[in-house]
């Protein structure tokens, strides 16, 4: 409220009057009119988004799709490195350079260093995720991405020139920092530049990028099998230099997120950004001002609901529930047998499919990872919600893992057939995973987070993913290795039980965000609606916000009258 404090002039006798508080009704009227206009515009934009079909979204937001695809492509670089690290351990030239000689005369990277390299990037990613929560909200998406791409280009030099395995570990940690940033930025940016009709598809695209990064990685190694010199492992590292310049060129010209600009009070810049993300001529009903007012309305609503935008605020009030769900969804990816599935090459080798054949099957698995994303898109286009996909996927994953465990009961005389069956079941597992948990998790974490805390919430969730990944990277080799616990297929029982527990959690805690605006999700969380009732609960964010605005106004007027 605006008030004008005036002091009356002293009387001729020199006496002083107390200050009198007067309200400038003209200013108040102007503010009320502006607020009413914002509510009306936001309401119109919300209705249009609810009615927008997939094809209408594709026609109106082709530029947003393009920019989102470019930025999500950063995730491919991490997928590529993960593929290199895991497959280099069975690559003779790499082992001869960075491993130790065994009594048999062959070379092998020691188990402790295998664990160190696999977990080094995870540690770096956790650092990058935490740093990203501060930097992106302060400097914006574009500036942070530019710095991280330049940083990664420099770190690739360390990979390429590493004289020993200790240097490789340092490179993994340093490279993990920008990879952690990419993981959260790709999802947050995609969720903010697209309408409801496209939001689920473009947030899931990050998983597709992961898949093609892995596929290219194992393809490059497969192509190096004929080499025995140092270039057999240096060329795969050098290939990493291809991506940063290409992606950097796109990022430099990419528009900033209009949501971030509105949070910073740069409304006119937000309008310019929205115009660069859309093609209004293709839809005469589209109004930039209405869409920006919808973003402003959601931002104001979240300010009313939450008090701050720090990491600590992610664990306060209603945002604690949202942070918990996001962290759990990311963790579920690794608790549903993800690490175990990466050992399909090992089981194919146990079945006698040595040499390049095992890598060919692994390439098939990574191909499934990519095709599975399109499968998830098709299911979402058919009207199946994210929550339903998650629950059904966990059922399929748990069943597959238990079947893997029972295959371990096959007599040793049929070991070849059992190993082949296990490797095949892992491909079946990959289909279930990519059509559900592996893909929709990217959409869920981007939608469940509040806009003010989205960057930090997604960062915390991905950090939880990396912590679980570190634990898995330590446990799984012991489960599989014949010289350790030697569980073999019985590890399927462990991961099947873990997956079943994830299913129970998801049923009671993970809500359905499909078809909801961010403001509607804010109100549903504020009202503490059960996860099972999210999809059916009706909510009118404008009535709720208008009522809250009216109460706040009355309280402020009452306060000034008392003064």
């Amino acid at each position: 409220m605006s008030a004008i404090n005036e002091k009356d002039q002293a009387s001729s006798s020199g006496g002083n009057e107390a200050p009198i508080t007067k309200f400038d009704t003209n200013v108040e009227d102007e503010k009320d009119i502006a607020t009413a206009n914002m509510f009306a515009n936001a309401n119109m934009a919300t209705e249009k988004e609810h009615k927008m079909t997939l094809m209408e979204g594709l026609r109106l937001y082709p530029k947003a799709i393009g920019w989102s695809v470019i930025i999500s492509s950063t995730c491919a670089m991490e997928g590529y490195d993960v593929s290199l690290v895991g497959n280099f351990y069975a690559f003779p030239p790499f082992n001869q350079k960075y491993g130790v000689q065994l009594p048999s005369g062959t070379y092998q990277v020691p188990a402790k260093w295998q664990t160190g390299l696999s977990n080094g990037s995870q540690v770096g990613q956790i650092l990058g995720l935490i740093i990203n929560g501060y930097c992106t909200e302060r400097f914006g998406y574009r500036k942070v991405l530019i710095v991280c791409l330049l940083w990664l280009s420099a770190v690739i030099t360390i990979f390429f020139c590493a004289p020993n395995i200790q240097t490789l570990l340092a490179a993994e940690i340093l490279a993990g920092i920008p990879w952690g940033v990419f993981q959260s930025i790709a999802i947050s940016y995609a969720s903010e530049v697209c309408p409801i009709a496209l939001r689920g598809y473009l947030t899931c695209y990050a998983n597709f990028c992961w898949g093609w990064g892995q596929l290219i990685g194992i393809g490059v190694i497969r192509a190096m099998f004929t080499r025995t010199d140092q270039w057999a492992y240096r060329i795969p590292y050098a290939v990493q230099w291809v991506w940063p310049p290409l992606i950097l060129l796109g990022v430099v010209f990419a528009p900033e997120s209009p949501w971030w600009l509105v949070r910073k009070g740069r409304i006119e810049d937000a309008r310019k950004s929205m115009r660069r993300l859309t093609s209004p001529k293709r839809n005469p009903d589209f109004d930039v001002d209405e869409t920006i007012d919808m973003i402003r309305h959601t931002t104001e609503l979240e300010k009313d609901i939450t008090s701050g935008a720090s990491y600590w605020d992610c664990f306060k009030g209603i945002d604690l529930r949202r942070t918990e769900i996001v962290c759990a969804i990311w963790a579920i990816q690794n608790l549903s047998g993800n690490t175990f599935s990466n050992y399909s090459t090992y089981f194919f080798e146990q079945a006698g499919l040595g040499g390049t054949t095992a890598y060919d099957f692994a390439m098939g698995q990574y191909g499934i990872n990519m095709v599975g994303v399109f499968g998830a898109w098709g299911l979402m286009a058919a009207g199946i919600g994210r929550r339903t996909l998650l629950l059904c996927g966990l059922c399929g994953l748990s069943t597959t893992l238990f079947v893997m465990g029972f295959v371990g009961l096959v007599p040793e005389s049929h070991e070849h057939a059992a190993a082949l069956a296990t490797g095949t079941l892992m491909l079946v597992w990959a289909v279930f995973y990519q059509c559900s948990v592996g893909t929709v998790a990217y959409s869920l974490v981007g939608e469940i987070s509040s806009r003010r805390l989205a960057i930090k919430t997604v960062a915390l969730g991905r950090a939880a993913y990396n912590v679980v990944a570190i634990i898995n990277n330590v446990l799984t080799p012991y489960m599989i290795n014949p010289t350790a616990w030697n569980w073999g297929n019985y590890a399927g029982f462990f991961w099947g039980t873990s997956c079943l527990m994830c299913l129970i959690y998801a049923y009671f805690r993970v809500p359905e965000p499909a078809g909801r605006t961010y403001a509607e999700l804010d109100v549903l969380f504020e009202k503490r609606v059960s996860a099972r009732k999210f999809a059916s609960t009706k909510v009118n964010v404008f009535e709720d916000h208008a009522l809250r605005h009216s109460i706040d106004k009355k309280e402020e007027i009452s306060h000034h009258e008392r003064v």
Side-chain angles (χ1 to χ4, degrees):
M1 303 292 288
S2 176
I4 301 176
N5 293 328
E6 298 178 348
K7 288 187 178 181
D8 289 345
Q9 296 295 327
S11 64
S12 57
S13 60
N16 293 324
E17 296 288 341
I20 299 175
T21 301
K22 297 181 181 179
F23 293 94
D24 189 333
T25 55
N26 291 329
V27 174
E28 290 304 319
D29 290 343
E30 290 176 3
K31 286 190 174 182
D32 289 342
I33 292 172
T35 300
N37 288 337
M38 181 185 74
F39 273 58
N41 284 343
N43 197 357
M44 288 293 295
T46 300
E47 288 182 10
K48 290 177 182 179
E49 282 220 5
H50 280 306
K51 295 177 181 178
M52 186 182 296
T53 64
L54 175 59
M55 291 307 299
E56 289 172 348
L58 292 173
R59 285 195 297 267
L60 181 58
Y61 284 85
K63 299 174 187 176
I65 295 171
W67 294 120
S68 178
V69 165
I70 289 173
I71 290 178
S72 293
S73 297
T74 55
C75 295
M77 289 184 281
E78 185 201 352
Y80 180 88
D81 182 80
V82 169
S83 179
L84 287 190
V85 171
N87 290 287
F88 266 158
Y89 299 146
F91 200 42
F94 181 87
N95 286 326
Q96 187 170 355
K97 172 64 177 179
Y98 298 108
V100 296
Q101 190 171 20
L102 303 178
S104 62
T106 61
Y107 290 83
Q108 185 68 49
V109 174
K112 65 178 182 180
W113 283 107
Q114 288 186 14
T115 302
L117 289 177
S118 298
N119 287 337
S121 65
Q122 304 288 347
V123 173
Q125 287 169 40
I126 293 173
L127 293 174
L129 287 162
I130 301 303
I131 293 171
N132 180 55
Y134 290 109
C135 294
T136 302
E137 189 58 38
R138 180 174 180 180
F139 301 110
Y141 291 90
R142 291 175 59 257
K143 291 181 180 178
V144 172
L145 278 172
I146 290 171
V147 171
C148 287
L149 287 167
L150 293 174
W151 171 280
L152 186 58
S153 298
V155 174
I156 293 172
T157 306
I158 303 177
F159 280 116
F160 184 75
C161 301
N164 51 52
I165 198 164
Q166 292 88 346
T167 307
L168 274 184
L169 176 58
E172 289 287 345
I173 295 173
L174 293 174
I177 295 174
W179 288 335
V181 173
F182 299 152
Q183 289 168 358
S184 57
I185 277 188
I187 299 169
S188 299
Y189 186 84
S191 65
E192 292 189 353
V193 299
C194 298
I196 296 173
L198 300 177
R199 200 169 62 198
Y201 302 96
L202 288 177
T203 48
C204 291
Y205 179 74
N207 189 44
F208 179 83
C209 294
W210 236 81
W212 65 260
Q214 289 180 309
L215 184 62
I216 292 174
I218 198 167
V220 170
I221 293 178
R222 172 72 174 76
M224 294 295 109
F225 253 84
T226 56
R227 303 190 70 103
T228 58
D229 57 4
Q230 61 176 333
W231 296 104
Y233 56 86
R234 282 194 169 184
I235 289 176
Y237 279 134
V239 169
Q240 294 180 103
W241 269 313
V242 173
W243 285 303
L246 296 176
I247 298 174
L248 183 62
L249 186 63
V251 171
V252 167
F253 296 101
E256 188 56 82
S257 164
W259 286 83
W260 181 82
L261 292 168
V262 168
R263 288 197 297 271
K264 295 300 178 182
R266 297 164 56 182
I267 307 301
E268 189 54 41
D269 288 338
R271 290 192 182 94
K272 293 177 181 177
S273 177
M274 183 58 67
R275 292 189 188 99
R276 292 189 61 201
L277 291 166
T278 56
S279 298
K281 293 181 180 179
R282 298 185 180 184
N283 188 339
D285 291 334
F286 177 75
D287 190 308
V288 170
D289 290 331
E290 288 178 355
T291 305
I292 294 300
D293 280 342
M294 181 180 68
I295 297 174
R296 291 175 59 199
H297 169 260
T298 304
T299 303
E300 292 300 320
L301 177 63
E302 291 186 351
K303 286 181 180 178
D304 290 343
I305 294 174
T306 59
S307 57
S310 66
Y311 270 116
W312 178 241
D313 289 300
C314 294
F315 301 96
K316 292 166 62 177
I318 60 173
D319 284 305
L320 174 60
R321 179 187 175 191
R322 304 174 88 157
T323 303
E324 170 225 313
I325 295 170
V326 169
C327 289
I329 290 171
W330 274 132
I332 284 172
Q333 283 196 321
N334 279 321
L335 293 173
S336 56
N338 191 16
T339 310
F340 184 46
S341 75
N342 291 334
Y343 283 80
S344 59
T345 304
Y346 169 80
F347 284 101
F348 283 130
E349 288 178 340
Q350 292 293 102
L353 302 177
T356 60
T357 306
Y359 283 91
D360 291 339
F361 272 95
M363 288 179 69
Q365 181 175 339
Y366 291 138
I368 290 173
N369 292 352
M370 297 172 64
V371 175
V373 175
F374 294 111
W377 282 357
L379 294 171
M380 286 191 290
I384 301 176
R386 280 55 132 178
R387 169 183 163 87
T388 303
L389 281 175
L390 182 69
L391 295 177
C392 292
L394 287 170
C395 288
L397 293 172
S398 182
T399 302
T400 305
L401 288 165
F402 278 120
V403 172
M404 285 186 201
F406 282 112
V407 170
L409 299 174
V410 173
E412 290 186 7
S413 57
H414 296 86
E415 183 179 1
H416 173 85
L420 191 61
T422 301
T424 304
L425 281 169
M426 286 183 171
L427 297 182
V428 174
W429 180 97
V431 173
F432 278 118
Y433 181 80
Q434 294 302 332
C435 287
S436 59
V437 178
T439 299
V440 298
Y442 287 84
S443 179
L444 284 168
V445 299
E447 294 174 307
I448 289 174
S449 310
S450 69
R451 291 305 88 198
R452 295 185 73 204
L453 294 170
I455 297 171
K456 293 181 174 63
T457 305
V458 173
L460 288 170
R462 193 67 186 185
Y465 169 95
N466 288 318
V467 169
V468 176
I470 290 173
I471 297 172
N472 287 359
N473 287 339
V474 173
L475 291 178
T476 305
Y478 282 94
M479 293 180 185
I480 303 297
N481 199 311
T483 63
W485 301 344
N486 195 27
W487 287 6
N489 276 67
Y490 296 144
F493 290 127
F494 177 88
W495 294 115
T497 303
S498 172
C499 193
L500 187 60
M501 293 174 66
C502 292
L503 173 62
I504 295 171
Y505 171 87
Y507 178 77
F508 289 103
R509 297 297 290 171
V510 178
E512 178 56 74
R516 299 286 194 181
T517 65
Y518 289 121
E520 289 170 339
L521 291 171
D522 290 335
V523 172
L524 287 168
F525 275 108
E526 184 191 20
K527 292 185 175 181
R528 292 176 169 79
V529 175
S530 166
R532 288 162 289 168
K533 297 180 180 179
F534 249 63
S536 59
T537 301
K538 295 182 179 180
V539 59
N540 189 321
V541 296
F542 300 100
E543 288 182 0
D544 292 343
H545 195 191
L547 178 61
R548 183 184 288 107
H549 178 75
S550 177
I551 292 172
D552 291 343
K553 181 177 179 180
K554 289 179 180 178
E555 289 178 349
E556 192 168 357
I557 291 174
S558 176
H559 170 74
H560 283 295
E561 285 177 346
R562 288 196 301 271
V563 173

